[in-house]
Amino acid sequence: MLRGFAHLVATVVALPYALIAAAFLIVGQAARAKGMLAVLNVLFTHADRLVRWGIYVLPVLCLALSLAGFAPGLRRASAVCLLVLSATSLVILVVMPTSKPTAGQWLFLAPCAALIGVSVWLYRAAEVTLER
């Protein structure tokens, strides 16, 4: 139960970082567009995707990832998903900005980096549980 709660908290902490990373990718794509019509096309395309399926699928995926930590058979897979989500978000947030990260930005990214360690711990804890 404690590991499931730890997974739930880690997922809740990881989701804002994933959303910020997705926003960085969209802004980067809009910045690479040539001309105002291309920028609007990028923004409307992403808005259309969000309205069509993302608004329904994203909450379900977040809920599924949150609750998967409570199921003993899914703990390893959910820990790997959490690891991939947090590591990908951290890489995007570090690589995308054009300037070097400041101390405040590193402090902001520290919980996301800690999630990588928590994900590895959850994976190993689920591995030990399966061996028993």
Side-chain angles (χ1 to χ4, degrees):
M1 186 71 169
L2 181 63
R3 290 184 191 130
F5 183 70
H7 181 81
L8 175 69
V9 170
T11 303
V12 169
V13 171
L15 290 177
Y17 289 103
L19 292 174
I20 292 170
F24 269 51
L25 290 176
I26 292 170
V27 168
Q29 190 176 5
R32 285 188 301 273
K34 306 257 191 246
M36 187 56 134
L37 289 178
V39 170
L40 289 174
N41 184 31
V42 167
L43 295 178
F44 285 140
T45 300
H46 287 290
D48 181 51
R49 287 181 188 159
L50 181 64
V51 169
R52 283 183 185 239
W53 61 270
I55 201 161
Y56 304 112
V57 172
L58 288 176
V60 170
L61 287 176
C62 295
L63 185 64
L65 180 60
S66 299
L67 296 179
F70 290 99
L74 296 174
R75 283 186 182 151
R76 292 179 76 189
S78 62
V80 170
C81 290
L82 187 60
L83 174 69
V84 168
L85 180 70
S86 58
T88 305
S89 300
L90 184 64
V91 167
I92 290 170
L93 292 174
V94 169
V95 172
M96 284 297 288
T98 56
S99 62
K100 287 186 175 182
T102 63
Q105 290 168 340
W106 284 116
L107 184 64
F108 173 75
L109 294 174
C112 189
L115 286 174
I116 295 171
V118 170
S119 300
V120 170
W121 174 74
L122 288 169
Y123 180 82
R124 290 194 180 258
E127 190 175 75
V128 170
T129 305
L130 289 176
E131 288 177 1
R132 290 184 187 179

